[in-house]
Amino acid sequence: MGVVAGGTQFETATPVPAVPTVRPPARRVRPRPGRVLKYVLMTAVAILFIAPFVYMISASFLPLSQMFKYPPQWIPLHPTISNYTGFFTSDHPIYRWIINSVIVTGTITTAQVFSSSLVAYTFAKRKFPGRDFLFFLGLATLMLPFQVTMIPNYLILKSFPLFGGNNLAGVGGHGLLDSYLGIIIPNLMNPFGIFLLRQYMISIPDELIDAARVDGAGHFRIYWKVILPMSRPAMAALAIFTFQFWWQAFFWPLIIISSPQLYTLPLGLALFQQANRTLWNLIMAGSVLGALPLIIVFFIFQRQFVQGISLSGSKG
């Protein structure tokens, strides 16, 4: 009991002891058989795909006499770097091949990303007669195999005027054959890249384009300032696809290039396969070095790559 001014009595509150909280026992999550089977299958498939790459790395540190022993040595007992030193000290212009690969792959990747994004913006956000027909016509070219267009492209490059000793009529020389341009020019644009970026750009709200148009922006400025920043995930995916394909491309450069000084790295590796023997130890070392740029590019852009593959639309 308590007393305040005026003689009024009141009851004082007695503290209530805190009740200890009892946590419920953690529920044991029983693994579902379907989930366990899924992870087992995924692990088996991952091992199946990664095993050749792991063996290539392991074999690159083994001498040629121990490379094909059975069972294979997944972890070298006595690793050596003589294969890598032998690869760079060979009689072949290794550094020149690497530079050629960088020039060809970098140029094609940059050109395809820019041209495909520009055309994709036109098909996705511009309205003009015959738009859908032209888009599906370009998409239909994906059904043509490379072997169908190989010979026409070769003849066009050989008869290209004013290049490689050709006159204005396209005769007298070899045109764009045996040059960087012979590899690059037929691949400046990619219908698959146009399709990929168009499907992504469709999801960008038209209100952003209308707002930019109200502010006085033209079509190219809208493309450059609005569309491209919001299409980075899909563009990164296209860049990775293009870089990976042309970094390891073999068939088309083999047809176009005849001078060893202009070989790309995949073509140069084929020179280590001689008439009577194949220098597998040097080929393994060169293959590992050739795969490093692909791995580095993927890990740098893997987040944008996954977003581009999902094509989840605009995040802004």
Side-chain angles (χ1 to χ4, degrees):
M1 300 293 290
V3 180
V4 294
T8 306
Q9 296 182 355
F10 65 94
E11 296 183 357
T12 58
T14 57
V16 178
V19 179
T21 57
V22 180
R23 294 182 178 180
R27 298 179 58 184
R28 298 182 60 183
V29 180
R30 296 181 179 180
R32 299 178 181 178
R35 180 177 297 180
V36 173
L37 180 60
K38 180 178 68 174
Y39 281 106
V40 169
L41 291 177
M42 292 175 61
T43 304
V45 172
I47 293 175
L48 182 64
F49 276 92
I50 203 174
F53 181 73
V54 173
Y55 177 75
M56 180 181 69
I57 297 177
S58 175
S60 67
F61 292 98
L62 290 173
L64 183 60
S65 59
Q66 302 179 8
M67 188 172 295
F68 298 104
K69 284 187 175 181
Y70 185 83
Q73 296 185 17
W74 295 97
I75 300 178
L77 299 179
H78 303 286
T80 176
I81 61 171
S82 59
N83 297 334
Y84 292 92
T85 57
F87 178 74
F88 283 105
T89 56
S90 61
D91 297 333
H92 303 294
I94 305 298
Y95 295 101
R96 181 65 182 179
W97 294 345
I98 297 176
I99 293 174
N100 295 339
S101 294
V102 171
I103 293 175
V104 171
T105 307
T107 304
I108 292 178
T109 301
T110 304
Q112 286 197 8
V113 171
F114 175 74
S115 61
S116 298
S117 62
L118 190 60
V119 177
Y121 163 70
T122 304
F123 283 130
K125 296 302 181 182
R126 297 290 306 275
K127 294 182 180 180
F128 54 90
R131 181 189 65 175
D132 295 337
F133 173 76
L134 291 177
F135 173 71
F136 287 110
L137 184 64
L139 200 61
T141 59
L142 293 175
M143 296 185 293
L144 296 176
F146 170 73
Q147 290 77 8
V148 174
T149 60
M150 176 181 63
I151 296 178
N153 285 336
Y154 181 88
L155 296 177
I156 292 173
L157 294 175
K158 185 179 184 301
S159 303
F160 209 87
L162 303 179
F163 280 89
N166 284 347
N167 56 21
L168 190 60
V171 295
H174 56 80
L176 294 179
L177 301 181
D178 198 24
S179 67
Y180 293 144
L181 294 178
I183 306 176
I184 295 172
I185 286 181
N187 302 286
L188 292 177
M189 191 173 295
N190 185 2
F192 171 75
I194 297 174
F195 170 75
L196 177 67
L197 295 180
R198 176 194 179 263
Q199 298 304 111
Y200 192 94
M201 291 178 182
I202 287 177
S203 63
I204 298 177
D206 293 336
E207 289 77 7
L208 298 176
I209 299 176
D210 295 337
R213 190 175 289 113
V214 169
D215 291 338
H219 289 295
F220 187 81
R221 188 177 179 183
I222 293 173
Y223 157 77
W224 190 260
K225 295 292 186 179
V226 179
I227 301 298
L228 285 191
M230 302 189 69
S231 303
R232 287 178 181 175
M235 294 173 63
L238 177 61
I240 292 176
F241 283 143
T242 308
F243 184 88
Q244 288 182 338
F245 180 84
W246 285 106
W247 181 263
Q248 57 188 357
F250 182 83
F251 191 50
W252 182 247
L254 178 64
I255 296 174
I256 299 300
I257 303 298
S258 57
S259 301
Q261 291 293 331
L262 295 178
Y263 276 8
T264 57
L265 187 57
L267 291 181
L269 289 177
L271 295 182
F272 289 95
Q273 187 174 1
Q274 302 173 358
N276 299 323
R277 58 178 301 196
T278 300
L279 303 177
W280 289 111
N281 54 337
L282 303 186
I283 291 177
M284 291 295 181
S287 300
V288 172
L289 294 174
L292 284 179
L294 302 178
I295 300 173
I296 294 173
V297 168
F298 176 78
F299 277 105
I300 291 176
F301 298 102
Q302 61 176 336
R303 184 177 179 181
Q304 292 84 354
F305 176 74
V306 175
Q307 292 179 0
I309 291 299
S310 63
L311 292 179
S312 57
S314 172
K315 301 296 183 183

